[in-house]
Amino acid sequence: MGPPPAEDRSEIVFFDVETSVPTRPGQGFAILEFGAILVCPRRLTELRNYSTLVRPADLAVISPLSERCNGITADAVSTAPTFADIAQLVYDLLHGRIWAGHNIIRFDCVRIRDAFAEINQPPPQPKGTIDSLVLLTQKFGRRAGDMKMATLATYFGLGRQTHRSLDDVRMNLEVLKYCATVLFLESSLPDVFTANSWVSPNATTRSRSNGKSPSQGGLLNINKDSVLSSPATGSKDKNHPILSFAMSSPKGEVSNISDPNIVQQDPFNFHALEDELKRESSKSDVAMEEKTMQDSPDLASSSSASQPCSSSIAILEPDGICIPSIDASLVPFFRGSHRIELLHEGFPFELHCTDLKVRFGINTKFFDNAGRPRLSFVVDSSPSLCNVLDACDRVAQKLTLDSGSSSDWRPAVIRKEGFFNYPTVRLHIPTAVVADVAIYATEIYQRESSGTVQRLLFSKFDAAELVSLFMPGTLVDAFFSLDPYDYQQNAGIKLVAKKLIIHCK
């Protein structure tokens, strides 16, 4: 590839790649579509666009799961150009410009570098990078949910995400415009648009010492300036409507705000929380008979090769699951490693169970390497939940064995002969550290007898406080993921609570 063109390259290039989904160990991602728009940084108008399907070297990499993810079939790309055919055009579009996209640091940028490496060409280099997933997670907060593009689009009424490159980058730009407008309005009247707008209007703050001032460790105090302001970058564009949010490196390197492995001093940096959750989920609480956990190496965060269609996670109730449709697949994880992902009808899924009765309350006997309790509690399991988890155990255990593991398998359903109140399952409440502060990573709500649901916000990490909430006999609605693990010669499926709704008596 030649040197960058001499013309002014001040435009922002929003780009997106659609890829195949690896289905076996060692199989990489193949680019199936590339799409980009050039955007004027001062008027945020589209100046130029380009998109094309891309034919992979092996059409067999386009599996049924890949087709369900983005709708791109082998027939559709059979006559499309290869990446080598479009490489010069892609290079000219990207090189020397500001790159923007959703989750591009972890996914799209990696795919572009890999594609150029495969054809023995140097990859394009950005002038700066704006990853809207990291940026909006920090600046906009979790008011829109999980911050995936589909969720943000739904929040603003922009329609459904199609998972096609050109549609997705245009939606990305519109989402940024909407978020920037909301933040601009909030900053203009900070006393009216209070920090409470970050959470549901039904949210309440909970502390063991309710009524104390913030300095006493009571109500949660959110510093709005830390949310809405951006440090100056020293650039002449620092007041730019988009770039003022971005803090890009002047040397073209990705600044810390876009580095998912660096914890920022921002109370709403949930990207760091997400990394911590994935590290914790990859470890098992296998030493339930020990007083403390053994020291273990710090596992790195999720791979840059994350699932391209991770927004297609179904939330299912056990009664709505077709047992024969449960399957397991190996997906890329970190530095060439793989993890097991459970699927229902080809899609990742999480479970939603209502009226689970707490059998054993919060367990605080076991600790992580930082000395924080590993929190969990045990609930009675319904027959339908047992059937689902048993099926998940079967397919995940088989794939674990087929992958060469010799670890002992620990069933998700706890059964003990002679006890009438079994079977049971253990739900884990993960913790994370954000800006050196430990927090609960599970959303916890309380349902009053009137039916009103309020979110509980905790001002500090205090495991003893949860003990009073999850007393034996309490009913809980739970949304939880099924995270297979294989760690220290023990393997199984860890049930990680994403959201809990406690029923008040």
Side-chain angles (χ1 to χ4, degrees):
M1 301 294 171
E7 78 268 15
D8 176 39
R9 301 178 72 78
S10 62
E11 307 95 341
I12 304 173
V13 54
F14 284 78
F15 73 95
D16 176 76
V17 297
E18 295 297 329
T19 70
S20 62
V21 179
T23 56
R24 65 176 185 271
Q27 184 181 47
F29 293 85
I31 293 180
L32 304 180
E33 187 177 45
F34 174 86
I37 58 174
L38 289 185
V39 173
C40 171
R42 301 197 175 280
R43 293 182 290 120
L44 300 184
T45 53
E46 182 178 324
L47 303 174
R48 175 184 167 197
N49 67 75
Y50 172 76
S51 69
T52 180
L53 292 171
V54 180
R55 186 175 79 252
D58 181 8
L59 292 176
V61 300
I62 306 178
S63 64
L65 178 58
S66 175
E67 291 180 13
R68 285 192 293 269
C69 183
N70 50 41
I72 300 175
T73 65
D75 288 342
V77 300
S78 60
T79 58
T82 66
F83 187 82
D85 295 332
I86 65 167
Q88 183 64 54
L89 196 155
V90 171
Y91 186 94
D92 291 343
L93 271 172
L94 298 180
H95 189 71
R97 287 192 168 100
I98 298 169
W99 295 4
H102 205 67
N103 197 31
I104 60 171
I105 297 293
R106 288 175 171 267
F107 192 78
D108 303 80
C109 293
V110 180
R111 304 285 81 77
I112 289 294
R113 288 197 298 269
D114 290 348
F116 275 91
E118 287 176 3
I119 60 173
N120 298 314
Q121 297 286 353
Q125 298 296 332
K127 180 189 297 184
T129 305
I130 303 172
D131 190 322
S132 57
L133 175 60
V134 180
L135 177 65
L136 296 182
T137 299
Q138 287 199 339
K139 300 300 179 182
F140 196 67
R142 297 192 74 191
R143 65 182 96 182
D146 58 19
M147 303 308 289
K148 295 172 183 173
M149 183 55 61
T151 307
L152 288 162
T154 300
Y155 181 82
F156 288 116
L158 297 176
R160 291 175 59 87
Q161 184 183 12
T162 65
H163 289 290
R164 297 302 298 270
S165 293
L166 202 55
D167 290 342
D168 283 3
V169 293
R170 285 171 172 157
M171 177 174 280
N172 195 172
L173 176 59
E174 290 304 307
V175 163
L176 277 173
K177 289 179 181 178
Y178 274 78
C179 289
T181 301
V182 170
L183 293 176
F184 173 77
L185 292 174
E186 289 179 347
S187 66
S188 66
L189 292 172
D191 294 333
V192 177
F193 297 109
T194 65
N196 290 331
S197 64
W198 282 90
V199 295
S200 166
N202 288 331
T204 59
T205 302
R206 181 180 177 90
S207 167
R208 297 185 68 194
S209 52
N210 282 335
K212 287 186 178 182
S213 67
S215 61
Q216 295 172 294
L219 295 178
L220 180 65
N221 180 23
I222 300 175
N223 181 355
K224 194 167 187 65
D225 290 339
S226 69
V227 173
L228 294 177
S229 64
S230 299
T233 63
S235 166
K236 64 182 179 180
D237 292 323
K238 67 182 180 181
N239 295 320
H240 187 279
I242 289 293
L243 297 186
S244 60
F245 294 124
M247 293 192 291
S248 297
S249 166
K251 295 182 180 181
E253 299 173 348
V254 180
S255 63
N256 286 352
I257 189 175
S258 295
D259 189 337
N261 296 315
I262 299 179
V263 177
Q264 301 300 313
Q265 301 301 315
D266 188 328
F268 284 96
N269 183 0
F270 281 88
H271 205 57
L273 184 152
E274 177 182 330
D275 287 344
E276 180 73 12
L277 283 185
K278 290 180 178 178
R279 284 194 293 269
E280 289 299 312
S281 294
S282 65
K283 303 176 182 178
S284 74
D285 290 350
V286 297
M288 286 301 170
E289 291 77 23
E290 300 178 9
K291 184 172 177 74
T292 58
M293 294 295 293
Q294 298 178 358
D295 289 341
S296 59
D298 186 25
L299 300 183
S301 60
S302 171
S303 165
S304 57
S306 58
Q307 280 287 70
C309 59
S310 57
S311 60
S312 302
I313 297 179
I315 308 296
L316 304 174
E317 296 184 356
D319 290 334
I321 288 183
C322 176
I323 298 298
S325 297
I326 294 176
D327 199 1
S329 174
L330 287 175
V331 297
F333 184 49
F334 179 73
R335 292 181 179 174
S337 66
H338 289 75
R339 63 179 177 86
I340 294 176
E341 184 172 60
L342 290 163
L343 308 171
H344 180 258
E345 296 182 347
F347 285 92
F349 69 98
E350 295 177 356
L351 289 177
H352 171 213
C353 296
T354 58
D355 297 326
L356 295 173
K357 181 182 286 188
V358 176
R359 176 60 55 183
F360 300 115
I362 294 294
N363 186 327
T364 61
K365 293 189 300 182
F366 311 111
F367 300 87
D368 62 16
N369 293 335
R372 297 184 301 269
R374 290 182 179 270
L375 303 178
S376 65
F377 63 101
V378 175
V379 298
D380 292 339
S381 180
S382 66
S384 59
L385 178 57
C386 288
N387 291 338
V388 170
L389 294 179
D390 288 344
C392 291
D393 271 332
R394 287 192 296 270
V395 297
Q397 184 179 14
K398 182 180 184 302
L399 187 53
T400 299
L401 293 173
D402 291 345
S403 300
S405 173
S406 59
S407 298
D408 294 330
W409 189 265
R410 304 173 68 91
V413 179
I414 305 167
R415 294 180 172 93
K416 292 188 178 180
E417 295 183 4
F419 290 81
F420 75 95
N421 54 6
Y422 281 89
T424 59
V425 297
R426 183 177 296 276
L427 296 179
H428 297 262
I429 299 178
T431 58
V433 177
V434 178
D436 297 325
V437 177
I439 63 174
Y440 305 117
T442 301
E443 295 180 6
I444 302 177
Y445 296 79
Q446 200 165 52
R447 185 190 300 277
E448 305 294 341
S449 56
S450 63
T452 303
V453 177
Q454 294 183 322
R455 181 166 182 186
L456 304 180
L457 299 180
F458 300 87
S459 59
K460 58 182 180 179
F461 180 89
D462 188 351
E465 185 173 12
L466 293 185
V467 173
S468 63
L469 293 174
F470 295 91
M471 298 293 291
T474 302
L475 295 181
V476 178
D477 298 345
F479 296 80
F480 55 92
S481 63
L482 291 77
D483 298 351
Y485 65 85
D486 190 344
Y487 182 67
Q488 291 187 346
Q489 291 301 302
N490 287 275
I493 298 173
K494 187 175 181 179
L495 309 183
V496 180
K498 303 295 186 181
K499 178 179 177 180
L500 297 170
I501 303 175
I502 305 165
H503 294 217
C504 290
K505 295 182 179 179

